[in-house]
Amino acid sequence: MVSELRSRKLASSEEKVKQEISDKKSEDGSKKRKAVRANNGSQSVFRRLLEWDKETSLLCSICASPTSGHGSLRLFFKLIELGGHGVPWIVIPVTLMYFTEDPWFMEILLNLLAGIFLDLLVSLILKSLVRRPRPNVNQNDMVLTASVDSLYSFPSGHCTRAGMLAFFFIANIDFTVIQAMILLVWTVGIALSRVCLGRHYIMDVSCGLIIGLLQGIFIQYYWLPLKSFEDLKGYFILKQ
């Protein structure tokens, strides 16, 4: 009798353990299914966002082709495009540094150059990592571009540069309201040129402006006084 009771209790406990294991497996399976559904949902949202980005950008690329019928607008945006190119923003500060003797202006120019080189580095790294192809309507007729820059679209290097320059000048130059507005209009013009010429998607442009703003904040936070540059110059002269 006692042994029979013991066997019943043992059987009952084994059933409880089996039931607990079954419930746990069921719960784990339910959690996994929910996680998969959530992941699929987020991927679906991101995919729809990319599709919207491509479709809307294609509609906005009104002067991407020389035969688009908007020749004057295309020429206008290509001129603006040159204003956002990295080469002029290296040549101009270097040239001004040669002619100026004002320590304050020299410090501005040196930090501006540091910001330009930072922008070029960040843009090339992100393009190499993301590797988003440029829009199909893009005409490969930009001047003085690196292979990585001409192949990949995210982020827009012109927009990272324009965002950084806008923040840099407004933060460090005593502009009037009208001058600041002109600078902001130029920045918006750079952004519009990238989409209307079919160079970039809208997300490349908007994210590029945000990245440029963050770069400007970084340069402002880690501002280098003129003495730091003079010490660096002296260090390299001594090394030679």
Side-chain angles (χ1 to χ4, degrees):
M1 186 70 177
V2 174
S3 60
E4 186 180 349
L5 289 173
R6 285 179 180 174
S7 61
R8 287 180 181 178
K9 286 182 179 179
L10 182 60
S12 177
S13 61
E14 287 178 352
E15 288 179 3
K16 286 182 180 179
V17 170
K18 289 180 180 179
Q19 185 63 38
E20 288 175 358
I21 293 173
S22 176
D23 292 343
K24 188 174 181 181
K25 286 182 178 179
S26 177
E27 184 179 351
D28 291 342
S30 177
K31 287 180 179 179
K32 286 181 180 179
R33 286 192 294 272
K34 287 180 180 179
V36 169
R37 283 197 297 267
N39 186 45
N40 291 339
S42 61
Q43 288 181 353
S44 177
V45 170
F46 185 66
R47 195 178 297 111
R48 286 200 297 269
L49 180 61
L50 286 178
E51 289 173 358
W52 172 88
D53 186 36
K54 288 181 179 180
E55 292 172 1
T56 309
S57 300
L58 181 61
L59 291 174
C60 294
S61 58
I62 56 176
C63 52
S65 171
T67 59
S68 61
H70 300 281
S72 299
L73 187 61
R74 178 176 167 79
L75 178 61
F76 172 72
F77 278 135
K78 282 183 70 67
L79 290 174
I80 293 180
E81 179 179 70
L82 291 175
H85 200 287
V87 173
W89 288 105
I90 295 175
V91 173
I92 292 172
V94 170
T95 304
L96 292 175
M97 285 165 58
Y98 181 78
F99 291 103
T100 187
E101 295 182 358
D102 184 350
W104 173 81
F105 191 45
M106 179 68 76
E107 184 173 303
I108 291 288
L109 292 173
L110 286 168
N111 279 277
L112 175 59
L113 269 178
I116 293 297
F117 284 119
L118 172 67
D119 171 72
L120 291 172
L121 179 63
V122 169
S123 179
L124 287 175
I125 290 174
L126 288 176
K127 284 177 185 288
S128 300
L129 291 174
V130 178
R131 292 176 174 267
R132 186 185 193 186
R134 286 185 182 267
N136 294 330
V137 294
N138 174 51
Q139 304 294 313
N140 194 21
D141 57 356
M142 286 190 293
V143 296
L144 298 174
T145 56
S147 58
V148 172
D149 188 52
S150 61
L151 286 174
Y152 302 122
S153 187
F154 183 92
S156 165
H158 280 67
C159 288
T160 60
R161 198 168 303 116
M164 188 274 294
L165 289 170
F167 182 90
F168 182 91
F169 286 130
I170 290 175
N172 295 290
I173 307 296
D174 190 18
F175 280 153
T176 64
V177 174
I178 294 177
Q179 289 171 332
M181 290 299 294
I182 292 173
L183 179 60
L184 292 176
V185 168
W186 171 80
T187 305
V188 173
I190 291 287
L192 288 175
S193 75
R194 312 323 293 145
V195 179
C196 291
L197 288 172
R199 307 291 197 206
H200 292 279
Y201 299 104
I202 293 172
M203 283 180 62
D204 305 333
V205 168
S206 55
C207 291
L209 290 172
I210 294 171
I211 292 169
L213 176 62
L214 295 175
Q215 289 176 161
I217 294 171
F218 179 87
I219 291 295
Q220 199 68 22
Y221 187 80
Y222 292 101
W223 186 269
L224 293 174
L226 184 59
K227 187 177 183 306
S228 298
F229 290 103
E230 291 174 346
D231 292 343
L232 187 63
K233 180 181 177 182
Y235 171 78
F236 282 109
I237 290 175
L238 289 174
K239 292 289 274 187
Q240 292 175 355

